[in-house]
Structure formats: C-alpha cells, structure tokens
Amino acid sequence: MNVLENLNRALDYIEQNLENEIDEYEIARRAYCSVHHFKRMISYLADISLQEYIRRRRLTLAALELQNSAVKVIDIAIKYGYLSPDAFTRAFQIQHGITPAEMRLTNQSLKAYPQMTFRLSIVGGEPMKFRIENKEAFQVIGITNRVTPIEMGEHPGVEQVWSSTDPNTYAELISLNNVEPFGILHVDVGEGGGRRKGDYNYYFSVASTESCPVKFSRLYVPSMTWVVIEVKVPWEPEKWKQIYGEWFPSSGYEQIEGPTIQVGPEIQVGVEKQVFTEEVEVEYWIPVKKVR
C-alpha cells in the first residue's frame, strides 16, 4: 500500500467517525505515520489544522441536516459533539455566517467543506537540494520570544526581536558561535512553527559550547537526525507544499517532534522591517526519522 493510499485511509476514518469521538492515534495508525507527522502534513498541504478540518466537516454535515430535515437543533448539536446549543450556534455562525435558526428561516447559502483527498500531482519537477544529517546534541544561545504567526510576511513576534536587538548585543551573540551549524539560527519550538497556526517559541540564536550569558536564553537540542533542505528566502508558500507534498511522501522519512531550524540569513538589527533586495540561500533543518 503506497503513501497516498495510507493517507486517504486516515481521511476515510475521519469521515466515517464525524458523529463519534475521533482518535488521533487511530488516524496515525491508518496513515502508517506518527500523529505529529500526520498533523504537519495536513497543516501544510491544506493550510488548516487537523482539528479545524474535522470541525469544518462536522459543521458542513450539520448544516445539510438542518436544511433537509426537521430534527431539532439541540439533537444535531449533540450528534456532532457540541455539549450545548449555544456552543453549536457560535461555531455554526463562525463558519456559515448565520445561526442555525436563521438558516432554516431564510435558506441562505452555506459554506460546505468537502472531504479532502490526497492525490498524486505531477508538476514542474523543480529540483530540491537536501542532505540527511545525523547530529549529536548541542545547545543554542540567543534571544527568545513567544510568537503568534500570521498568514503572510514576517511574524510580529519575530520582528520584535530583530528590531529590539542593538548592534553590540548582536555582535556578542555572533561571537559565541563556535560549532556547527555556523551562522544565525532562527529556531522555532512548538506546533505553530513555520506557517502553522498556534503560538510557538522563537530563538534568534547561534550554536555554541560557551556558557550562556545572563542576557541570553539557552535551548538544548538533543541528538537527532535531520533533513537539511536548501531553500531561498523570502519563503514562497509553494515551498511548504513541495516539502510536505512531494519530498516527505517519497522520502521514506517522517517528521518527529523537535525544533525546526533555519540557518541564515543574517539580518539588520534595530530596524522595524527587513528588506531583501534579492533571494538569499539558507538551510532549513527538520528533525526526522527513517520509517521505510
């Protein structure tokens, strides 16, 4: 059974259990991967989280039932996992723009989210340069901030670190870099790293064996296997889909829990906005394990 079939078996399980409690570990078992990796795949390929996808599908089916039956709103709410009609009404209005009662009175158009399916797509065949790196544990030292990601552009919490760092602090940070990977490291820790929804911790940092000065924070990175992918910044959204839609399904690896690290670029500290006049080559490190 190939990777696409496994992923679609997992989506079928979700579809068959929208009226029941959905077990994330059963999803992962059917997809033949970890929960963590499946969530990443969904997030980067569909641009929404797994839980958001499930929520949208449930509210789509709920809306169809409200349109085509006389079943009470409370019964439909309970059927799709809502403990109260108020919670159901709020969620329904967020997705469809009207309440369940208004929908039955006006018969307005609704937002229907169909079941997702993974399909093979033959595209331009753009090459992707990568290597597999087995690296012993190391530490990074730097400046950290809690970040809430946005859809486009640099995340404000990241820019806040860059704009508030003075040149002397930056020079001191660079001087601590005495082991690989060399250069400025942009390290994301948490589910929201990259373009995924959810807050995460960002480290503007370097790899170092030195003691951590008081003004900086330290992050321990355990021994891991990494796929190191060469990319260019500013990032194009299509690059995420190439990594998660093309490289991972064909590689025999899956992503594991751990920080993601972008090596470079160096930035201009103390300014509100970074301006890149041309593309800059960087490395993106993703923690992985071999699964086949």
Side-chain angles (χ1 to χ4, degrees):
M1 185 174 292
N2 64 34
V3 174
L4 289 177
E5 288 176 339
N6 295 339
L7 293 172
N8 285 324
R9 285 177 72 242
L11 292 176
D12 286 341
Y13 165 77
I14 293 171
E15 198 67 17
Q16 293 159 9
N17 288 277
L18 289 173
E19 299 175 16
N20 308 308
E21 184 175 350
I22 293 176
D23 184 346
E24 291 183 349
Y25 291 96
E26 180 62 19
I27 295 174
R29 188 187 70 79
R30 292 175 182 241
Y32 285 88
C33 66
S34 68
V35 172
H36 181 81
H37 185 68
F38 187 83
K39 285 183 173 181
R40 288 270 169 171
M41 293 281 288
I42 288 286
S43 179
Y44 281 112
L45 296 177
D47 294 324
I48 57 172
S49 68
L50 175 60
Q51 288 306 314
E52 177 65 11
Y53 170 68
I54 293 171
R55 186 188 71 82
R56 290 182 180 184
R57 285 297 299 142
R58 283 173 167 160
L59 289 171
T60 294
L61 296 188
L64 292 172
E65 286 199 40
L66 283 167
Q67 277 187 327
N68 300 310
S69 74
V71 177
K72 293 179 180 179
V73 171
I74 181 61
D75 292 333
I76 292 178
I78 292 172
K79 181 177 181 179
Y80 290 102
Y82 291 88
L83 300 180
S84 73
D86 288 343
F88 175 68
T89 296
R90 284 194 299 270
F92 192 94
Q93 189 166 20
I94 289 171
Q95 175 156 316
H96 298 293
I98 57 174
T99 67
E102 289 170 340
M103 188 218 69
R104 278 185 161 166
L105 288 173
T106 62
N107 198 29
Q108 290 185 32
S109 298
L110 303 172
K111 288 184 180 178
Y113 290 92
Q115 178 183 357
M116 282 186 0
T117 303
F118 287 99
R119 292 193 179 96
L120 177 64
S121 177
I122 300 175
V123 291
E126 179 184 350
M128 180 180 291
K129 294 182 180 180
F130 73 92
R131 69 180 187 274
I132 300 298
E133 182 102 15
N134 294 304
K135 185 167 178 56
E136 294 301 315
F138 64 102
Q139 72 169 357
V140 301
I141 294 173
I143 303 164
T144 186
N145 197 20
R146 190 69 174 167
V147 174
T148 298
I150 60 175
E151 291 294 331
M152 297 296 292
E154 293 294 349
H155 304 321
V158 173
E159 289 187 329
Q160 184 181 21
V161 172
W162 298 347
S163 64
S164 63
T165 302
D166 62 78
N168 289 336
T169 300
Y170 187 50
E172 182 180 354
L173 182 62
I174 293 291
S175 71
L176 294 170
N177 185 199
N178 60 0
V179 292
E180 292 183 336
F182 291 109
I184 281 292
L185 307 183
H186 305 273
V187 183
D188 296 341
V189 182
E191 287 296 310
R195 289 291 160 189
R196 303 184 71 238
K197 293 178 174 61
D199 292 356
Y200 66 96
N201 292 326
Y202 166 70
Y203 288 81
F204 180 56
S205 57
V206 296
S208 179
T209 60
E210 301 289 342
S211 297
C212 181
V214 175
K215 67 169 66 176
F216 297 128
S217 298
R218 173 184 178 273
L219 175 69
Y220 173 78
V221 181
S223 176
M224 288 184 177
T225 299
W226 307 80
V227 56
V228 181
I229 300 174
E230 295 182 22
V231 296
K232 293 180 180 180
V233 294
W235 275 82
E236 295 181 355
E238 291 74 19
K239 182 58 67 175
W240 295 115
K241 290 182 169 55
Q242 187 181 15
I243 292 171
Y244 287 92
E246 297 176 28
W247 191 85
F248 270 114
S250 62
S251 68
Y253 287 86
E254 69 176 47
Q255 186 169 354
I256 62 173
E257 292 190 50
T260 55
I261 302 172
Q262 182 177 299
V263 183
E266 293 195 10
I267 57 96
Q268 185 178 358
V269 295
V271 300
E272 289 297 324
K273 296 289 182 181
Q274 299 296 311
V275 177
F276 294 99
T277 57
E278 59 184 18
E279 291 183 324
V280 180
E281 292 186 354
V282 300
E283 292 183 344
Y284 193 66
W285 291 49
I286 303 174
V288 296
K289 68 176 181 180
K290 185 73 172 173
V291 292
R292 66 179 188 279

